[in-house]
Amino acid sequence: VMQCSASLDVLFLLDGSYSIGKGSFERSKHFAGKLCDALDIHPDRVRVGMIQFSSTPHLEFPLDSYLTKQEVKERIKRTVFRGGSTETGQALKYILHKGFPGGRNSSVPEVLIIISDGKSQGSTSVPAMLVKERHITVFAVGIKFPRWEELQVLASEPPERHLLFAGDAEDAANGLYSTLSDSVCTATAPGCKVESHPCERRTLEIVKELAGSYVCWKGSKQPNAVQASLCPFTRWKRVLIKHPSRCFRTVCPDPCDSQPCQNGGTCVPEGLDRYHCLCLLGYGGDIHCAAKLSLECGVDLLFLMDSSAGVTLEGFLRFKAFLKRFLQAVVGQDSPVSVGVAQYDDDIKVPIELGQHKDTLGLMKRIDALNFSGGRTLTGRALQYIAQHGFRSSPVFADVQDDLPRVVVLLTDSKSQDSVAEAAKYVKDQNIFLIGLGSSFMRAELTTVTGNPQQTIVYSDPQDLFNRMPELQRKICSVGNPEGCQAQSLDLAFAVDASSGVGLENFLHLRRFVRSSCLHFIINRDVTQIALVTYGSKAHTVFALDTHTSSSAVLQAIDQVPFLGDSASAGSALLHVHSDVMTVQKGARPGVNKVVVLLSNGGGMQGAAAPAQQLRHNGILVFVVVVGDADRDTLLRVAGSPNYLVHISSYEDLQYYQGLIIERICEEARSPVNLCKPNPCMNQGVCILGPGSYRCQCHGWEGPHCESRVLRGDSPRSPALPARSHEQWSPRGLQHLSRALQQSKRQ
């Protein structure tokens, strides 16, 4: 992370002798590359050169050869091992004679980094002393099993600060930086300081040791006699010798030491003084993981938790953890929501009555105190009881009737042992809004309870439960609000796969999905316009954006859409939408957000990424809904982001994702719009953006959108629109203008 940034000439002297060997030479090259990471290499700052020595020194590259760190590291990698005897003294004399090749002639500090095992053939003390007398700073780096005594002779004073070990490249690079930062490098980051710590220098030495004794025969003074005796014998052994020493490194405070991430977020350092927080779901409202979700809507909210044997202790604890995490994220000090918690099995208890705790801390303590009971799963009975007794809270003011919407969130993972249909109907008759949350095998029962798949939330695995928090928050706050995008203007096109790969039966599923989705939008010229495209190998416009101006007309047209068969080409469909649907000529309105929903089985996606990117470039969101098996990487390239990809396992499950898809579409409808994307100007006109407006610059055409050809002579102009090619148009006048264009087109 740290770099020495100064005017500095650094010359590597690499031992390429046979005593090093090819393997250790490769490690020397790797180490030299690591040291380059600690140097700010630039022609005006740190320059780097390299000499390889063995029997004779060889200049690999001078200091002025390469201008960037990447170039230097690449050249070091390409250096070839030469082999020969270890003539370190000769290499030092070469430097004394030639200087630093390509250097700046001692006008900047010079640093020599010798990487060797120290086993030189001749004496190095005199040339090493002369090099240091020229004010060259010498670092000696031990590679393999070095002779530290010889390397110490080579290194500058104090030797412990100029001796490095290539075996620990990261620490050695830090040590180099530490030593240089005291003399030539610019100051380290605030709070960083150089510290020493005990370390070991290791080497392999051959020692003589007593191996034992053996019987030997000695002469005797007596004639014809010998005498037996024990004689010691020794052997040579390679021993790893450790030399205690001190090493130096620059230590900086971790930016995460102050624990800046709140609410269980994980701090990830980025360099010396920056960090980012990985936030738990529901947090991330700022960089420190403040609560992101909030229940700003005023509701009376009661959680009904399954505490029966069917849900198991593990499931009950999971729901408790979810409830705590959710309420911590959404309930603030000034939140208008009143929260209560009930639990049930054979019996129903309301341990936390509605509005009993206004502070989050007290609420968390009470949730912690909830205990698992483990009886039968009587969900129907619990719902009936809650409808009668769960919302008996006194109004905030005695003379003001509390008429907030009432919401029950049922948390269960166990099939009910009594009937839920009648009880659910009774709850809804009391004007209580039901939301069901459970694992995926509970989907059917939860939908029976809520009466609406869009009020049912299912999760696939224990961790996925926590991913449902934003969805639950949206559903709670949608109580009493109309669905769809309300009064937001939107140009929406559905591109439906009608190929043989989908098949007739599944195509009818897709058609029903488009039909039911259209029910959620206010369809007219001023709010939502809808177009429909079907495709096989070619795309066909069933109806354009400006064809139908009412929901009944759109629904009637959808019912008549035929199945095509043929192979699928999603790329052709998206190109068709780009050039033949989302254009001013076909009814697209300038200044209105535009969305394409591609419905497919995943076939024919190979050429779809480029046209999808073209649509996004023109400010049109591409939402990809795929049913069945498909390559996720291909789908992501088309969607551009996981946020705009919905991958569903079966056509029967498509209905359950409708709420999510419509919510995403409506989020896009609320986002800021670029008035020049897609280009509202016809006939190659150039759109020029102004503050809150745009104008079209025309060539050979005239009119606000370059829609009228310039006529020569005295021929009358088109009566549809006056020629005002330089007038500015604001979003307020755009819808009137769109109608005028339609009239012009019909004439």
Side-chain angles (χ1 to χ4, degrees):
V1 176
M2 295 171 291
Q3 287 190 334
C4 178
S5 187
S7 293
L8 187 67
D9 282 351
V10 176
L11 182 63
F12 285 105
L13 195 58
L14 249 67
D15 187 344
S17 64
Y18 289 131
S19 68
I20 285 286
K22 196 170 188 309
S24 291
F25 183 74
E26 291 300 317
R27 282 193 288 277
S28 299
K29 284 161 52 178
H30 170 75
F31 177 77
K34 278 289 181 188
L35 291 193
C36 288
D37 289 335
L39 303 171
D40 185 11
I41 297 172
H42 185 273
D44 299 330
R45 294 186 287 278
V46 180
R47 295 185 184 181
V48 173
M50 179 180 281
I51 293 172
Q52 181 183 170
F53 73 93
S54 50
S55 305
T56 56
H58 173 80
L59 178 63
E60 294 291 347
F61 59 92
L63 285 100
D64 54 1
S65 295
Y66 301 105
L67 307 179
T68 67
K69 182 179 300 189
Q70 194 57 38
E71 289 175 350
V72 170
K73 291 178 74 169
E74 285 296 324
R75 177 59 182 83
I76 291 172
K77 278 185 187 175
R78 296 199 305 271
T79 303
V80 178
F81 176 66
R82 294 180 174 275
S85 57
T86 315
E87 299 289 348
T88 314
Q90 290 281 15
L92 293 173
K93 288 173 185 174
Y94 176 91
I95 291 165
L96 287 167
H97 179 63
K98 300 269 190 181
F100 274 35
R104 283 166 276 191
N105 301 322
S106 304
S107 61
V108 301
E110 295 176 322
V111 174
L112 180 65
I113 301 176
I114 306 170
I115 305 177
S116 171
D117 61 1
K119 298 171 184 173
S120 178
Q121 251 70 50
S123 172
T124 58
S125 55
V126 173
M129 181 184 68
L130 293 172
V131 165
K132 287 180 275 188
E133 281 179 357
R134 290 198 181 180
H135 303 291
I136 296 171
T137 304
V138 183
F139 286 88
V141 182
I143 190 80
K144 207 174 177 182
F145 295 109
R147 291 181 180 162
W148 291 107
E149 297 81 2
E150 285 194 28
L151 291 175
Q152 194 160 326
V153 170
L154 298 174
S156 292
E157 294 289 334
E160 65 271 10
R161 295 209 59 168
H162 294 83
L163 276 177
L164 305 172
F165 181 46
D168 190 347
E170 298 284 356
D171 206 39
N174 189 302
L176 172 77
Y177 174 85
S178 302
T179 302
L180 292 177
S181 65
D182 282 356
S183 52
V184 294
C185 298
T186 50
T188 61
C192 298
K193 57 183 183 294
V194 176
E195 290 182 355
S196 70
H197 61 97
C199 59
E200 285 181 343
R201 309 287 187 206
R202 294 180 300 166
T203 191
L204 208 58
E205 295 184 7
I206 298 174
V207 296
K208 183 192 286 188
E209 68 172 11
L210 182 66
S213 302
Y214 64 95
V215 177
C216 55
W217 303 96
K218 295 185 178 180
S220 170
K221 292 182 180 179
Q222 298 175 8
N224 303 322
V226 292
Q227 185 176 346
S229 181
L230 289 176
C231 300
F233 70 92
T234 58
R235 65 181 174 196
W236 297 96
K237 184 181 179 183
R238 291 158 67 88
V239 179
L240 190 67
I241 305 291
K242 298 177 182 178
H243 302 276
S245 183
R246 293 203 73 75
C247 294
F248 293 82
R249 62 161 72 108
T250 299
V251 179
C252 299
D254 192 307
C256 291
D257 284 348
S258 60
Q259 297 181 329
C261 303
Q262 304 159 4
N263 299 311
T266 303
C267 183
V268 180
E270 292 178 347
L272 296 176
D273 53 1
R274 290 191 304 277
Y275 62 88
H276 70 270
C277 295
L278 295 176
C279 304
L280 294 173
L281 199 80
Y283 301 95
D286 63 10
I287 59 168
H288 296 121
C289 301
K292 184 178 184 181
L293 303 173
S294 65
L295 287 175
E296 296 302 329
C297 49
V299 293
D300 286 342
L301 177 61
L302 186 67
F303 288 90
L304 180 58
M305 283 176 63
D306 187 347
S307 180
S308 67
V311 81
T312 72
L313 174 61
E314 182 186 356
F316 177 75
L317 294 175
R318 187 183 306 133
F319 279 140
K320 264 179 67 171
F322 171 81
L323 194 54
K324 282 184 65 177
R325 176 96 65 85
F326 180 76
L327 292 175
Q328 278 177 319
V330 299
V331 178
Q333 196 165 358
D334 302 321
S335 178
V337 70
S338 290
V339 177
V341 180
Q343 64 181 98
Y344 74 94
D345 51 355
D346 297 279
D347 193 18
I348 303 103
K349 293 181 286 189
V350 187
I352 305 171
E353 291 186 3
L354 204 68
Q356 186 178 355
H357 291 283
K358 291 295 181 188
D359 65 304
T360 313
L361 188 63
L363 193 57
M364 293 305 110
K365 285 183 178 176
R366 290 303 303 273
I367 293 171
D368 277 333
L370 298 179
N371 291 316
F372 178 63
S373 45
R376 290 183 300 158
T377 312
L378 301 182
T379 308
R381 185 174 169 218
L383 288 167
Q384 187 109 11
Y385 179 90
I386 287 303
Q388 293 169 342
H389 307 287
F391 290 92
R392 287 186 172 177
S393 57
S394 58
V396 180
F397 301 106
D399 57 341
V400 178
Q401 183 61 36
D402 186 359
D403 60 351
L404 291 175
R406 298 182 296 173
V407 182
V408 171
V409 178
L410 172 65
L411 303 169
T412 179
D413 263 347
S414 175
K415 293 282 177 71
S416 179
Q417 293 169 264
D418 64 350
S419 172
V420 294
E422 286 300 316
K425 184 177 183 304
Y426 177 79
V427 172
K428 283 175 271 194
D429 287 345
Q430 307 307 307
N431 202 23
I432 295 170
F433 189 81
L434 278 169
I435 298 171
L437 193 159
S439 53
S440 49
F441 82 92
M442 289 293 297
R443 189 194 296 274
E445 184 171 303
L446 290 172
T447 304
T448 303
V449 170
T450 62
N452 184 349
Q454 294 190 36
Q455 298 313 127
T456 301
I457 303 171
V458 297
Y459 62 92
S460 55
D461 57 63
Q463 183 53 45
D464 189 44
L465 169 62
F466 294 90
N467 297 336
R468 303 294 118 199
M469 286 169 54
E471 191 179 350
L472 177 59
Q473 182 257 345
R474 286 195 298 270
K475 291 195 188 309
I476 291 169
C477 282
S478 71
V479 175
N481 293 333
E483 293 180 286
C485 302
Q486 298 168 44
Q488 294 290 335
S489 296
L490 178 69
D491 284 345
L492 173 62
F494 288 96
V496 181
D497 188 343
S499 69
S500 55
V502 169
L504 175 58
E505 186 182 345
N506 293 330
F507 171 73
L508 296 177
H509 275 293
L510 295 178
R511 198 173 74 178
R512 279 195 293 273
F513 175 81
V514 173
R515 191 184 196 283
S516 63
S517 297
C518 291
L519 290 169
H520 294 278
F521 296 95
I522 302 165
I523 298 173
N524 60 44
R525 287 273 180 269
D526 298 320
V527 186
T528 301
Q529 293 190 145
I530 292 182
L532 178 59
V533 171
T534 56
Y535 70 92
S537 57
K538 293 181 179 176
H540 307 270
T541 302
V542 178
F543 52 84
L545 289 165
D546 61 348
T547 305
H548 299 298
T549 57
S550 68
S551 291
S552 57
V554 166
L555 298 178
Q556 195 173 354
I558 292 171
D559 289 338
Q560 306 303 317
V561 177
F563 176 64
L564 299 176
D566 202 358
S567 58
S569 173
S572 297
L574 293 176
L575 279 173
H576 180 82
V577 169
H578 179 269
S579 58
D580 273 5
V581 176
M582 290 294 187
T583 64
V584 172
Q585 296 95 314
K586 300 291 183 179
R589 294 165 293 174
V592 173
N593 273 305
K594 292 168 176 54
V595 177
V596 182
V597 178
L598 180 70
L599 292 159
S600 167
N601 71 339
M605 287 282 182
Q606 289 74 15
Q613 182 56 42
Q614 192 175 359
L615 284 163
R616 282 191 291 274
H617 180 71
N618 282 286
I620 302 167
L621 171 70
V622 179
F623 205 104
V624 180
V625 181
V626 173
V627 185
D629 294 331
D631 178 50
R632 187 167 174 81
D633 289 341
T634 304
L635 300 180
L636 278 171
R637 282 196 292 275
V638 179
S641 161
N643 294 332
Y644 302 124
L645 173 62
V646 175
H647 201 168
I648 304 167
S649 57
S650 71
Y651 287 89
E652 289 74 19
D653 289 346
L654 194 56
Q655 57 177 322
Y656 303 125
Y657 288 84
Q658 189 175 65
L660 169 70
I661 293 165
I662 290 170
E663 280 172 14
R664 296 267 177 86
I665 291 170
C666 293
E667 282 172 15
E668 181 65 20
R670 289 189 288 272
S671 65
V673 66
N674 183 334
L675 296 175
C676 282
K677 284 191 174 184
N679 185 4
C681 308
M682 304 184 210
N683 302 307
Q684 283 78 50
V686 178
C687 180
I688 298 172
L689 204 58
S693 63
Y694 71 92
R695 63 186 176 87
C696 288
Q697 195 173 68
C698 310
H699 304 283
W701 297 78
E702 59 186 2
H705 291 89
C706 310
E707 67 279 357
S708 303
R709 186 181 291 279
V710 175
L711 301 176
R712 302 288 178 190
D714 298 323
S715 302
R717 293 176 183 272
S718 167
L721 286 166
R724 296 186 293 176
S725 61
H726 297 291
E727 181 168 345
Q728 290 197 338
W729 292 82
S730 67
R732 185 172 293 177
L734 292 175
Q735 287 159 1
H736 167 75
L737 174 61
S738 181
R739 292 197 200 101
L741 283 170
Q742 304 313 312
Q743 185 185 355
S744 167
K745 186 172 64 172
R746 285 192 289 274
Q747 288 172 352

